[in-house]
Amino acid sequence: MASIHNDVSLPAPAREVWDAVRDFGALHQRLVPGFVTACQLDGDARIVTFANGSVAREVLIDCDDARRRLVYAINSERLKHYSASAQVIAESETACRLVWIIDMLPNELAAYVQEQTKAAVIAMHKAFPPKGT
């Protein structure tokens, strides 16, 4: 099983980044604007439209405010398994890390997903720029 790890340093307080992560239906507005162009809630899921035109249905598995950890899964014909977690960890009063881990099958799609996560990380940095910029 492929496992993709992203450890993203952000120049923002953990509470601000967590507030954006946990806002499950506002992914396109708060966490990764531009990378995700639309997000619509559908019960315990969100229908996500990416900038490249692909669409995914992401099911909310867990949202743990105490640990600042959100878990979601994708079930589709192309993916035999896809489970992801995003956890926000305070580094200081004004900085944090977002640890985003994706476990997936088939392995053949891992390179594509890895490239997509790179674009998502760029969008996160734009959503949380250093103060004063």
Side-chain angles (χ1 to χ4, degrees):
M1 181 175 301
S3 191
I4 300 165
H5 294 252
N6 291 282
D7 194 332
V8 185
S9 294
L10 294 169
R15 69 183 175 285
E16 287 181 21
V17 175
W18 172 242
D19 192 56
V21 170
R22 75 174 319 284
D23 194 352
F24 199 63
L27 187 64
H28 63 306
Q29 297 166 326
R30 300 192 60 202
L31 188 63
V32 287
F35 174 70
V36 170
T37 58
C39 182
Q40 180 180 2
L41 290 176
D42 179 27
D44 65 348
R46 62 186 175 196
I47 310 303
V48 179
T49 303
F50 298 91
N52 67 6
S54 65
V55 177
R57 185 173 195 275
E58 300 178 343
V59 178
L60 178 63
I61 304 299
D62 187 39
C63 182
D64 184 334
D65 285 317
R67 291 184 173 86
R68 293 184 179 136
R69 183 174 181 265
L70 184 133
V71 180
Y72 64 95
I74 298 174
N75 298 312
S76 72
E77 291 180 15
R78 291 181 64 199
L79 296 166
K80 287 176 63 178
H81 176 85
Y82 186 106
S83 179
S85 65
Q87 186 168 14
V88 180
I89 301 162
E91 296 274 285
S92 71
E93 290 294 317
T94 60
C96 67
R97 288 181 18 244
L98 186 144
V99 178
W100 180 21
I101 301 171
I102 301 166
D103 296 316
M104 60 168 292
L105 287 171
N107 292 333
E108 295 76 28
L109 292 177
Y112 168 78
V113 172
Q114 178 89 43
E115 284 304 307
Q116 290 299 297
T117 66
K118 288 179 184 176
V121 168
I122 290 169
M124 283 180 210
H125 283 290
K126 289 179 182 175
F128 296 97
K131 300 296 184 214
T133 58

